[in-house]
Amino acid sequence: MKVNILAFGIAKDIFGGPAIDVELFNDATVFNLKFLLEKQYPQLKKLATYMVAVNNEYALDGDTVHERDEIAIIPPVSGG
Amino acid sequence: MNKQIKLSVSTLNVMECVDWVMSPECGGIDVFIGTVRNATKGKTVVRLEFEAYEKMAISELEKIADQASIKWPVQKMLIHHRTGVLQIGEIPVIIAVAAAHRHAAFEACRYIIDTLKQTVPIWKKEIFEDGEVWVAVHP
């Protein structure tokens, strides 16, 4: 399945744009997605931390992602 | 409990925020105003740029306000946050909390700003004279 990944902050710089498409197997987890992204974009591993949001909620590594989910990479936040 | 949460590309207005939380059953209002500082770790900052994942930022801010209202007896809460380019001295964030008694207002206000900084998907880029950096991204 193809999933669309939104990027914000430094993740946008790392991906070279505000969104990318990645090809994942069905029933892939957030962990699988992070593994794939870190392989394609090793700079992600240099971040202090980063989270994945699925449908506007912080997701856990074991959560499953689906084709039409809104998925976003959340680098360390710094609002306020 | 009554709350107002907003992201805005235009200048935040402190008096408007205070007026919104003002209510006859409240004995006090606590206001936190964030301002853009002209230096970080001794280095001159020219301006800041804020970016938000708007839908999720709003929903995370709603959660924080709801949690605060469970923890403390507060009447009205307001959180306004800027996005876009901010110059030195401008206001990126205003939090206003009205409660019957000051203790709840102080505590809820501190809780909201402290938690906002940890969980709300908003990012700040510092622009220096000789470069720029996304804040807090590297260890």
Side-chain angles (χ1 to χ4, degrees):
Chain A
M1 63 176 179
K2 188 156 61 170
V3 291
N4 186 251
I5 316 281
L6 304 175
F8 296 93
I10 195 167
K12 206 160 70 175
D13 299 342
I14 292 173
F15 291 167
I20 54 165
D21 283 333
V22 298
E23 193 61 40
L24 274 177
F25 55 89
N26 287 343
D27 298 324
T29 62
V30 167
F31 179 83
N32 298 139
L33 170 66
K34 285 162 90 171
F35 186 82
L36 179 75
L37 289 173
E38 287 173 17
K39 210 163 63 175
Q40 287 178 15
Y41 303 94
Q43 280 175 291
L44 280 176
K45 286 191 281 194
K46 293 192 180 139
L47 300 178
T49 175
Y50 72 95
M51 299 285 285
V52 172
V54 177
N55 300 326
N56 296 292
E57 295 283 346
Y58 287 109
L60 301 172
D61 277 355
D63 291 348
T64 307
V65 298
H66 308 96
E67 194 157 15
R68 284 186 186 79
D69 284 342
E70 182 171 311
I71 301 169
I73 300 302
I74 313 287
V77 301
S78 51
Chain B
M1 189 265 309
N2 219 326
K3 62 184 186 227
Q4 187 187 78
I5 285 160
K6 199 165 86 177
L7 299 179
S8 170
V9 290
S10 48
T11 308
L12 302 184
N13 184 315
V14 177
M15 237 13 252
E16 263 176 38
C17 296
V18 172
D19 286 344
W20 191 85
V21 295
M22 185 85 72
S23 67
E25 64 270 28
C26 291
I29 294 171
D30 204 81
V31 182
F32 175 81
I33 304 168
T35 52
V36 178
R37 191 175 48 230
N38 65 3
T40 187
K41 289 173 193 142
K43 206 168 170 191
T44 302
V45 171
V46 179
R47 64 176 186 276
L48 296 183
E49 291 176 16
F50 285 86
E51 181 183 331
Y53 180 14
E54 298 209 0
K55 249 190 306 177
M56 185 174 169
I58 295 281
S59 92
E60 288 296 318
L61 288 169
E62 300 261 358
K63 281 186 205 168
I64 295 171
D66 291 347
Q67 286 155 8
S69 75
I70 292 166
K71 288 170 181 278
W72 297 280
V74 293
Q75 307 295 324
K76 291 183 102 177
M77 282 182 279
L78 172 148
I79 311 171
H80 286 184
H81 203 297
R82 273 291 299 276
T83 56
V85 177
L86 275 83
Q87 307 299 329
I88 305 306
E90 279 199 273
I91 298 174
V93 64
I94 299 174
I95 294 161
V97 180
H101 303 286
R102 70 182 182 282
H103 177 77
F106 275 121
E107 294 296 314
C109 193
R110 174 184 279 275
Y111 172 81
I112 292 169
I113 184 62
D114 288 351
T115 314
L116 179 157
K117 283 176 171 281
Q118 290 165 4
T119 65
V120 178
I122 297 176
W123 298 271
K124 176 182 347 195
K125 188 195 261 181
E126 287 173 332
I127 317 293
F128 304 108
E129 279 150 342
D130 60 352
E132 54 184 49
V133 63
W134 287 105
V135 174
V137 294
H138 291 117

